Amino acid sequence: MRWRHAVLLGHPVAHSISPRFQQAAFDHLGLDVRYEAWETREADLPQRLATLRGDSFIGANVTVPHKQRALVLVDVAQDAARVVGATNCLLKQGEELIAANTDVDGFRRSLREDAHFDARGRRAVVFGAGGAARAVVFALLQDSAAEVLVLNRSPERAASLVTELAPHGTGELWWQPQPSGDELEWLLRRFELVINCTSLGLAGSPQAGTAPVPEPALPRGALVVDIIANPLLTPLLRAARRRGCATLGGLSMLVYQGAAAFELWTGLPAPLGVMMDAARAAMGLR
Ligand code: NDP
């Protein structure tokens, strides 16, 4: 038997749960594919991508910190990856590498299917302006959100996100420097959807105990989403629950983006239940 491979490129990748739920999917369908996490330093990325061109590889996931750099090292970029400016999923066509972005559809699907929230005509505020924020904002624009406000620590990153993504939707996309205290509370009160796309609250990071929004500024009645998958209940989501808001965590987005990648690599429907169960088990849930 000749094994084929799919890999995860990132740094660090040791704690990623993608290998757990991707391998569960390949095994469930009886496919001879091994999914491996490859610890990849920035300097080694070109060599890793050269290796992927070999015919035993069916594709790859790309994670922090390579999502933007990988885009310029491939042969072709699909529309979503090009517009977002980042790729989390590489496909093969012969020896050619094609960049896709399944974070966009992963987020859309989790919002619709897990939070039952239709963004059409709604007002959203997004914290963060990195690669994930760009995917989320693009998804909201594609889903005809009426208004998207971007707040980020570095104003120049928020400004370029808005300039580059605004042509891709009809809703109002804008940014402003993030205010604090009463001013933030006042600004947020009319938003129906609040999304954390920063790394504030991420397990194992120096900001693990923090949230991008203080509890009193969370608009009552809003849906509060944290796309961070680990921990399952971030400081932001805890605060949102105390405030009586509906909440959505990042685990389902992670599995949906992985399921979309699986389908692009194999051409087969992803066994979503199997992947979700494996992801939940990897997070210590039954
Ligand atoms: P980036 O490094 O591209 O962006 C990080 C963002 O966090 C930037 O907006 C940055 O602001 C902000 N930030 C970082 N530290 C601080 C701080 N101390 N104070 C305020 N803001 C800060 O990362 P990504 O966009 O790729 O990922 C962001 C998060 O989303 C990660 O936690 C990741 O785990 C999660 N994610 C989840 C996915 C899922 O499927 N569930 C998919 C992709 C990402 P600045 O611009 O000022 O540096």
Side-chain angles (χ1 to χ4, degrees), residues 65-116:
H66 304 312
K67 288 184 176 185
Q68 280 154 317
R69 176 98 195 287
L71 190 62
V72 296
L73 295 172
V74 299
D75 303 294
V76 180
Q78 291 185 348
D79 284 352
R82 192 171 33 75
V83 172
V84 168
T87 177
N88 69 320
C89 173
L90 303 179
L91 318 176
K92 297 284 300 289
Q93 207 165 67
E95 289 187 358
E96 288 209 326
L97 291 176
I98 297 158
N101 190 310
T102 63
D103 281 339
V104 175
D105 283 340
F107 172 74
R108 283 172 109 172
R109 190 169 178 188
S110 71
L111 195 60
R112 280 194 203 146
E113 295 185 18
D114 295 75
H116 309 289

CSV table of all heavy atoms in Angstrom, one decimal, residues 65-116:
chain,number,residue,atom,x,y,z
A,65,PRO,N,2.4,31.1,11.6
A,65,PRO,CA,2.3,32.5,11.0
A,65,PRO,C,2.4,32.5,9.5
A,65,PRO,O,2.8,33.6,9.0
A,65,PRO,CB,3.5,33.1,11.7
A,65,PRO,CG,4.5,32.0,11.7
A,65,PRO,CD,3.8,30.7,11.8
A,66,HIS,N,2.0,31.5,8.8
A,66,HIS,CA,2.4,31.4,7.4
A,66,HIS,C,1.2,31.7,6.4
A,66,HIS,O,1.4,31.6,5.2
A,66,HIS,CB,2.9,30.0,7.0
A,66,HIS,CG,4.0,29.6,7.9
A,66,HIS,ND1,5.1,30.4,8.1
A,66,HIS,CD2,4.3,28.5,8.6
A,66,HIS,CE1,6.0,29.8,8.9
A,66,HIS,NE2,5.5,28.6,9.2
A,67,LYS,N,0.1,32.1,6.9
A,67,LYS,CA,-1.1,32.2,6.0
A,67,LYS,C,-0.9,33.3,4.9
A,67,LYS,O,-1.5,33.1,3.8
A,67,LYS,CB,-2.4,32.6,6.8
A,67,LYS,CG,-2.9,31.4,7.6
A,67,LYS,CD,-4.2,31.8,8.3
A,67,LYS,CE,-4.7,30.6,9.1
A,67,LYS,NZ,-6.0,30.9,9.7
A,68,GLN,N,-0.2,34.3,5.2
A,68,GLN,CA,0.0,35.4,4.2
A,68,GLN,C,1.2,35.1,3.3
A,68,GLN,O,1.1,35.2,2.1
A,68,GLN,CB,0.2,36.8,4.8
A,68,GLN,CG,-1.2,37.3,5.2
A,68,GLN,CD,-1.2,38.3,6.4
A,68,GLN,OE1,-0.5,38.1,7.4
A,68,GLN,NE2,-1.9,39.4,6.2
A,69,ARG,N,2.2,34.6,3.9
A,69,ARG,CA,3.5,34.3,3.1
A,69,ARG,C,3.2,33.2,2.1
A,69,ARG,O,3.7,33.2,1.0
A,69,ARG,CB,4.6,33.9,4.1
A,69,ARG,CG,5.9,33.5,3.5
A,69,ARG,CD,6.9,34.7,3.5
A,69,ARG,NE,8.0,34.3,2.6
A,69,ARG,CZ,8.9,33.5,2.9
A,69,ARG,NH1,8.9,32.8,4.0
A,69,ARG,NH2,9.9,33.2,2.0
A,70,ALA,N,2.5,32.2,2.5
A,70,ALA,CA,2.2,31.0,1.6
A,70,ALA,C,1.5,31.4,0.3
A,70,ALA,O,1.7,30.9,-0.7
A,70,ALA,CB,1.4,29.9,2.4
A,71,LEU,N,0.7,32.5,0.5
A,71,LEU,CA,-0.1,32.9,-0.7
A,71,LEU,C,0.9,33.4,-1.8
A,71,LEU,O,0.5,33.2,-3.0
A,71,LEU,CB,-1.0,34.1,-0.2
A,71,LEU,CG,-2.0,34.6,-1.2
A,71,LEU,CD1,-3.0,33.5,-1.5
A,71,LEU,CD2,-2.7,35.8,-0.6
A,72,VAL,N,2.0,34.0,-1.5
A,72,VAL,CA,2.9,34.5,-2.6
A,72,VAL,C,3.8,33.4,-3.1
A,72,VAL,O,4.5,33.6,-4.0
A,72,VAL,CB,3.7,35.7,-2.1
A,72,VAL,CG1,2.8,36.9,-1.8
A,72,VAL,CG2,4.6,35.4,-0.9
A,73,LEU,N,3.8,32.2,-2.4
A,73,LEU,CA,4.7,31.1,-2.9
A,73,LEU,C,4.0,30.1,-3.7
A,73,LEU,O,4.7,29.1,-4.2
A,73,LEU,CB,5.3,30.5,-1.6
A,73,LEU,CG,6.2,31.4,-0.8
A,73,LEU,CD1,6.6,30.6,0.5
A,73,LEU,CD2,7.5,31.7,-1.5
A,74,VAL,N,2.7,30.2,-3.9
A,74,VAL,CA,2.0,29.2,-4.7
A,74,VAL,C,1.9,29.6,-6.2
A,74,VAL,O,2.3,30.7,-6.5
A,74,VAL,CB,0.5,29.0,-4.1
A,74,VAL,CG1,0.6,28.5,-2.7
A,74,VAL,CG2,-0.3,30.3,-4.3
A,75,ASP,N,1.3,28.7,-7.0
A,75,ASP,CA,1.2,29.0,-8.4
A,75,ASP,C,-0.1,29.8,-8.8
A,75,ASP,O,-0.1,30.7,-9.6
A,75,ASP,CB,1.2,27.7,-9.2
A,75,ASP,CG,2.4,26.9,-8.9
A,75,ASP,OD1,3.5,27.4,-9.3
A,75,ASP,OD2,2.3,25.9,-8.2
A,76,VAL,N,-1.2,29.5,-8.1
A,76,VAL,CA,-2.5,30.1,-8.4
A,76,VAL,C,-3.2,30.4,-7.0
A,76,VAL,O,-3.1,29.6,-6.1
A,76,VAL,CB,-3.4,29.2,-9.2
A,76,VAL,CG1,-4.7,29.8,-9.5
A,76,VAL,CG2,-2.7,28.7,-10.5
A,77,ALA,N,-3.9,31.5,-6.9
A,77,ALA,CA,-4.7,31.8,-5.7
A,77,ALA,C,-6.2,31.9,-6.2
A,77,ALA,O,-6.5,32.6,-7.1
A,77,ALA,CB,-4.3,33.1,-5.1
A,78,GLN,N,-7.0,31.1,-5.5
A,78,GLN,CA,-8.5,31.2,-5.7
A,78,GLN,C,-9.0,32.6,-5.2
A,78,GLN,O,-8.3,33.2,-4.4
A,78,GLN,CB,-9.2,30.1,-5.0
A,78,GLN,CG,-8.9,28.7,-5.6
A,78,GLN,CD,-9.8,27.6,-5.0
A,78,GLN,OE1,-10.4,27.8,-4.0
A,78,GLN,NE2,-9.7,26.5,-5.6
A,79,ASP,N,-10.2,33.0,-5.7
A,79,ASP,CA,-10.7,34.3,-5.4
A,79,ASP,C,-10.7,34.7,-3.9
A,79,ASP,O,-10.2,35.7,-3.5
A,79,ASP,CB,-12.1,34.5,-5.9
A,79,ASP,CG,-12.1,34.6,-7.4
A,79,ASP,OD1,-11.0,34.8,-8.0
A,79,ASP,OD2,-13.2,34.6,-8.0
A,80,ALA,N,-11.2,33.8,-3.0
A,80,ALA,CA,-11.4,34.2,-1.6
A,80,ALA,C,-10.0,34.4,-1.0
A,80,ALA,O,-9.8,35.3,-0.2
A,80,ALA,CB,-12.1,33.1,-0.9
A,81,ALA,N,-9.0,33.5,-1.3
A,81,ALA,CA,-7.7,33.7,-0.8
A,81,ALA,C,-7.0,35.0,-1.3
A,81,ALA,O,-6.4,35.7,-0.5
A,81,ALA,CB,-6.8,32.5,-1.2
A,82,ARG,N,-7.2,35.3,-2.5
A,82,ARG,CA,-6.6,36.5,-3.1
A,82,ARG,C,-7.2,37.8,-2.4
A,82,ARG,O,-6.5,38.7,-2.0
A,82,ARG,CB,-6.9,36.5,-4.6
A,82,ARG,CG,-6.1,37.6,-5.3
A,82,ARG,CD,-6.2,37.4,-6.8
A,82,ARG,NE,-7.5,36.9,-7.3
A,82,ARG,CZ,-8.6,37.7,-7.3
A,82,ARG,NH1,-8.6,38.9,-7.0
A,82,ARG,NH2,-9.7,37.1,-7.7
A,83,VAL,N,-8.6,37.8,-2.3
A,83,VAL,CA,-9.2,39.0,-1.7
A,83,VAL,C,-8.9,39.1,-0.2
A,83,VAL,O,-8.5,40.2,0.2
A,83,VAL,CB,-10.8,38.9,-1.9
A,83,VAL,CG1,-11.4,40.0,-1.1
A,83,VAL,CG2,-11.1,38.9,-3.4
A,84,VAL,N,-8.9,38.0,0.5
A,84,VAL,CA,-8.6,38.0,1.9
A,84,VAL,C,-7.1,38.3,2.1
A,84,VAL,O,-6.7,38.9,3.1
A,84,VAL,CB,-9.1,36.7,2.6
A,84,VAL,CG1,-8.5,36.5,4.0
A,84,VAL,CG2,-10.6,36.6,2.6
A,85,GLY,N,-6.3,37.9,1.2
A,85,GLY,CA,-4.9,38.1,1.3
A,85,GLY,C,-4.2,37.1,2.2
A,85,GLY,O,-3.1,37.3,2.7
A,86,ALA,N,-4.8,35.9,2.3
A,86,ALA,CA,-4.3,34.8,3.2
A,86,ALA,C,-4.8,33.5,2.7
A,86,ALA,O,-5.9,33.4,2.2
A,86,ALA,CB,-4.6,35.1,4.6
A,87,THR,N,-4.0,32.4,2.9
A,87,THR,CA,-4.5,31.1,2.6
A,87,THR,C,-4.4,30.2,3.8
A,87,THR,O,-3.4,30.2,4.5
A,87,THR,CB,-3.8,30.5,1.4
A,87,THR,OG1,-4.2,29.1,1.2
A,87,THR,CG2,-2.3,30.5,1.6
A,88,ASN,N,-5.4,29.3,4.0
A,88,ASN,CA,-5.3,28.4,5.1
A,88,ASN,C,-5.3,26.9,4.5
A,88,ASN,O,-5.4,26.0,5.3
A,88,ASN,CB,-6.4,28.5,6.1
A,88,ASN,CG,-7.7,28.2,5.6
A,88,ASN,OD1,-8.0,28.5,4.4
A,88,ASN,ND2,-8.6,27.5,6.3
A,89,CYS,N,-5.4,26.8,3.2
A,89,CYS,CA,-5.6,25.5,2.6
A,89,CYS,C,-4.9,25.5,1.2
A,89,CYS,O,-5.3,26.4,0.4
A,89,CYS,CB,-7.1,25.3,2.5
A,89,CYS,SG,-7.6,23.9,1.6
A,90,LEU,N,-4.0,24.5,1.0
A,90,LEU,CA,-3.4,24.4,-0.3
A,90,LEU,C,-3.9,23.2,-1.0
A,90,LEU,O,-4.0,22.1,-0.4
A,90,LEU,CB,-1.9,24.3,-0.1
A,90,LEU,CG,-1.2,25.5,0.6
A,90,LEU,CD1,0.3,25.3,0.7
A,90,LEU,CD2,-1.5,26.8,-0.1
A,91,LEU,N,-4.2,23.3,-2.3
A,91,LEU,CA,-4.7,22.2,-3.1
A,91,LEU,C,-3.6,21.8,-4.2
A,91,LEU,O,-2.7,22.7,-4.5
A,91,LEU,CB,-5.9,22.6,-3.9
A,91,LEU,CG,-7.0,23.4,-3.1
A,91,LEU,CD1,-8.1,23.7,-4.0
A,91,LEU,CD2,-7.5,22.5,-1.9
A,92,LYS,N,-3.7,20.6,-4.7
A,92,LYS,CA,-2.8,20.2,-5.8
A,92,LYS,C,-3.4,20.1,-7.1
A,92,LYS,O,-4.6,19.6,-7.2
A,92,LYS,CB,-2.2,18.8,-5.4
A,92,LYS,CG,-1.4,18.7,-4.1
A,92,LYS,CD,0.0,19.3,-4.2
A,92,LYS,CE,0.9,18.7,-5.3
A,92,LYS,NZ,1.3,17.3,-4.9
A,93,GLN,N,-2.8,20.5,-8.1
A,93,GLN,CA,-3.2,20.2,-9.5
A,93,GLN,C,-1.9,19.8,-10.2
A,93,GLN,O,-1.1,20.6,-10.6
A,93,GLN,CB,-3.8,21.4,-10.2
A,93,GLN,CG,-4.8,21.1,-11.2
A,93,GLN,CD,-5.7,22.3,-11.5
A,93,GLN,OE1,-5.1,23.3,-12.1
A,93,GLN,NE2,-7.0,22.3,-11.2
A,94,GLY,N,-1.7,18.4,-10.3
A,94,GLY,CA,-0.4,18.0,-10.8
A,94,GLY,C,0.6,18.4,-9.7
A,94,GLY,O,0.4,18.3,-8.5
A,95,GLU,N,1.7,19.1,-10.2
A,95,GLU,CA,2.7,19.6,-9.3
A,95,GLU,C,2.4,21.0,-8.8
A,95,GLU,O,3.1,21.6,-8.0
A,95,GLU,CB,4.1,19.6,-10.0
A,95,GLU,CG,4.6,18.2,-10.1
A,95,GLU,CD,6.0,18.2,-10.6
A,95,GLU,OE1,6.6,19.3,-10.9
A,95,GLU,OE2,6.6,17.1,-10.8
A,96,GLU,N,1.3,21.6,-9.4
A,96,GLU,CA,1.0,23.0,-9.0
A,96,GLU,C,0.3,23.1,-7.7
A,96,GLU,O,-0.5,22.2,-7.3
A,96,GLU,CB,0.1,23.6,-10.1
A,96,GLU,CG,0.7,23.9,-11.4
A,96,GLU,CD,0.1,25.0,-12.1
A,96,GLU,OE1,-1.1,25.2,-12.0
A,96,GLU,OE2,0.8,25.8,-12.8
A,97,LEU,N,0.6,24.2,-7.0
A,97,LEU,CA,0.0,24.4,-5.7
A,97,LEU,C,-1.0,25.6,-5.9
A,97,LEU,O,-0.7,26.6,-6.4
A,97,LEU,CB,1.0,24.8,-4.7
A,97,LEU,CG,2.0,23.8,-4.2
A,97,LEU,CD1,3.0,24.3,-3.3
A,97,LEU,CD2,1.2,22.6,-3.6
A,98,ILE,N,-2.2,25.3,-5.4
A,98,ILE,CA,-3.3,26.3,-5.5
A,98,ILE,C,-3.7,26.7,-4.1
A,98,ILE,O,-4.0,25.9,-3.2
A,98,ILE,CB,-4.5,25.7,-6.2
A,98,ILE,CG1,-4.0,25.4,-7.6
A,98,ILE,CG2,-5.7,26.7,-6.3
A,98,ILE,CD1,-4.9,24.3,-8.3
A,99,ALA,N,-3.8,28.1,-3.9
A,99,ALA,CA,-4.2,28.6,-2.5
A,99,ALA,C,-5.7,28.8,-2.5
A,99,ALA,O,-6.3,29.5,-3.3
A,99,ALA,CB,-3.4,29.9,-2.3
A,100,ALA,N,-6.3,28.3,-1.4
A,100,ALA,CA,-7.7,28.5,-1.2
A,100,ALA,C,-7.9,29.1,0.2
A,100,ALA,O,-6.9,29.2,1.0
A,100,ALA,CB,-8.5,27.1,-1.2
A,101,ASN,N,-9.0,29.6,0.5
A,101,ASN,CA,-9.3,30.1,1.9
A,101,ASN,C,-10.6,29.5,2.4
A,101,ASN,O,-11.7,30.0,2.0
A,101,ASN,CB,-9.3,31.6,2.0
A,101,ASN,CG,-9.3,32.1,3.4
A,101,ASN,OD1,-10.1,31.6,4.2
A,101,ASN,ND2,-8.4,33.0,3.8
A,102,THR,N,-10.5,28.5,3.2
A,102,THR,CA,-11.8,27.9,3.7
A,102,THR,C,-12.2,28.5,5.1
A,102,THR,O,-13.2,28.1,5.6
A,102,THR,CB,-11.6,26.3,3.8
A,102,THR,OG1,-10.6,26.0,4.8
A,102,THR,CG2,-11.3,25.7,2.5
A,103,ASP,N,-11.4,29.4,5.6
A,103,ASP,CA,-11.8,30.1,6.9
A,103,ASP,C,-13.1,30.9,6.6
A,103,ASP,O,-13.9,31.0,7.5
A,103,ASP,CB,-10.7,31.1,7.4
A,103,ASP,CG,-9.6,30.4,8.1
A,103,ASP,OD1,-9.8,29.2,8.6
A,103,ASP,OD2,-8.5,30.9,8.2
A,104,VAL,N,-13.2,31.5,5.4
A,104,VAL,CA,-14.4,32.3,5.0
A,104,VAL,C,-15.6,31.4,5.2
A,104,VAL,O,-16.6,31.8,5.9
A,104,VAL,CB,-14.2,32.8,3.6
A,104,VAL,CG1,-15.5,33.6,3.2
A,104,VAL,CG2,-13.0,33.7,3.5
A,105,ASP,N,-15.6,30.3,4.5
A,105,ASP,CA,-16.9,29.5,4.5
A,105,ASP,C,-17.0,28.8,5.9
A,105,ASP,O,-18.1,28.5,6.3
A,105,ASP,CB,-16.8,28.4,3.4
A,105,ASP,CG,-17.2,29.1,2.1
A,105,ASP,OD1,-17.8,30.2,2.1
A,105,ASP,OD2,-16.9,28.5,1.1
A,106,GLY,N,-15.9,28.5,6.6
A,106,GLY,CA,-16.0,27.9,7.9
A,106,GLY,C,-16.7,28.9,8.9
A,106,GLY,O,-17.6,28.4,9.6
A,107,PHE,N,-16.3,30.1,8.8
A,107,PHE,CA,-17.0,31.1,9.7
A,107,PHE,C,-18.5,31.3,9.3
A,107,PHE,O,-19.4,31.2,10.2
A,107,PHE,CB,-16.3,32.5,9.6
A,107,PHE,CG,-17.1,33.5,10.3
A,107,PHE,CD1,-17.0,33.6,11.7
A,107,PHE,CD2,-17.8,34.5,9.7
A,107,PHE,CE1,-17.8,34.5,12.4
A,107,PHE,CE2,-18.6,35.4,10.4
A,107,PHE,CZ,-18.5,35.4,11.7
A,108,ARG,N,-18.7,31.4,8.0
A,108,ARG,CA,-20.2,31.6,7.6
A,108,ARG,C,-21.0,30.4,8.0
A,108,ARG,O,-22.1,30.6,8.5
A,108,ARG,CB,-20.2,31.5,6.0
A,108,ARG,CG,-19.8,32.8,5.4
A,108,ARG,CD,-19.7,32.5,3.9
A,108,ARG,NE,-20.7,33.2,3.2
A,108,ARG,CZ,-20.8,33.3,1.9
A,108,ARG,NH1,-19.9,32.7,1.2
A,108,ARG,NH2,-21.7,34.0,1.3
A,109,ARG,N,-20.5,29.2,7.9
A,109,ARG,CA,-21.3,28.1,8.2
A,109,ARG,C,-21.5,28.0,9.7
A,109,ARG,O,-22.6,27.6,10.2
A,109,ARG,CB,-20.5,26.8,7.7
A,109,ARG,CG,-21.4,25.6,7.8
A,109,ARG,CD,-20.7,24.4,7.1
A,109,ARG,NE,-21.6,23.3,7.2
A,109,ARG,CZ,-21.2,22.0,6.8
A,109,ARG,NH1,-20.1,21.8,6.2
A,109,ARG,NH2,-22.0,21.0,7.0
A,110,SER,N,-20.5,28.3,10.5
A,110,SER,CA,-20.7,28.2,12.0
A,110,SER,C,-21.8,29.3,12.4
A,110,SER,O,-22.6,29.0,13.3
A,110,SER,CB,-19.4,28.4,12.7
A,110,SER,OG,-18.9,29.7,12.7
A,111,LEU,N,-21.7,30.5,11.8
A,111,LEU,CA,-22.6,31.5,12.2
A,111,LEU,C,-24.1,31.1,11.8
A,111,LEU,O,-25.0,31.2,12.6
A,111,LEU,CB,-22.3,32.8,11.4
A,111,LEU,CG,-22.9,34.1,11.9
A,111,LEU,CD1,-22.5,34.4,13.3
A,111,LEU,CD2,-22.5,35.2,10.9
A,112,ARG,N,-24.2,30.5,10.7
A,112,ARG,CA,-25.6,30.1,10.2
A,112,ARG,C,-26.1,28.9,10.9
A,112,ARG,O,-27.2,28.8,11.4
A,112,ARG,CB,-25.6,29.8,8.7
A,112,ARG,CG,-25.6,31.0,7.9
A,112,ARG,CD,-25.9,30.6,6.4
A,112,ARG,NE,-25.4,31.6,5.5
A,112,ARG,CZ,-24.9,31.3,4.3
A,112,ARG,NH1,-24.8,30.1,3.9
A,112,ARG,NH2,-24.5,32.3,3.6
A,113,GLU,N,-25.2,27.8,11.0
A,113,GLU,CA,-25.7,26.5,11.4
A,113,GLU,C,-25.7,26.3,12.9
A,113,GLU,O,-26.5,25.6,13.5
A,113,GLU,CB,-25.0,25.4,10.7
A,113,GLU,CG,-25.3,25.4,9.2
A,113,GLU,CD,-24.6,24.2,8.5
A,113,GLU,OE1,-24.3,23.2,9.1
A,113,GLU,OE2,-24.5,24.3,7.3
A,114,ASP,N,-24.7,27.0,13.6
A,114,ASP,CA,-24.6,26.8,15.0
A,114,ASP,C,-25.2,27.9,15.8
A,114,ASP,O,-25.7,27.7,16.9
A,114,ASP,CB,-23.1,26.6,15.4
A,114,ASP,CG,-22.6,25.3,14.8
A,114,ASP,OD1,-22.3,25.3,13.5
A,114,ASP,OD2,-22.5,24.3,15.5
A,115,ALA,N,-25.1,29.2,15.3
A,115,ALA,CA,-25.8,30.3,16.0
A,115,ALA,C,-27.1,30.7,15.4
A,115,ALA,O,-27.8,31.5,15.9
A,115,ALA,CB,-24.8,31.5,16.0
A,116,HIS,N,-27.4,30.1,14.2
A,116,HIS,CA,-28.7,30.4,13.5
A,116,HIS,C,-28.8,31.9,13.3
A,116,HIS,O,-29.9,32.5,13.5
A,116,HIS,CB,-29.9,29.8,14.3
A,116,HIS,CG,-29.7,28.4,14.6
A,116,HIS,ND1,-29.7,27.4,13.7
A,116,HIS,CD2,-29.4,27.8,15.8
A,116,HIS,CE1,-29.5,26.2,14.2
A,116,HIS,NE2,-29.3,26.4,15.5
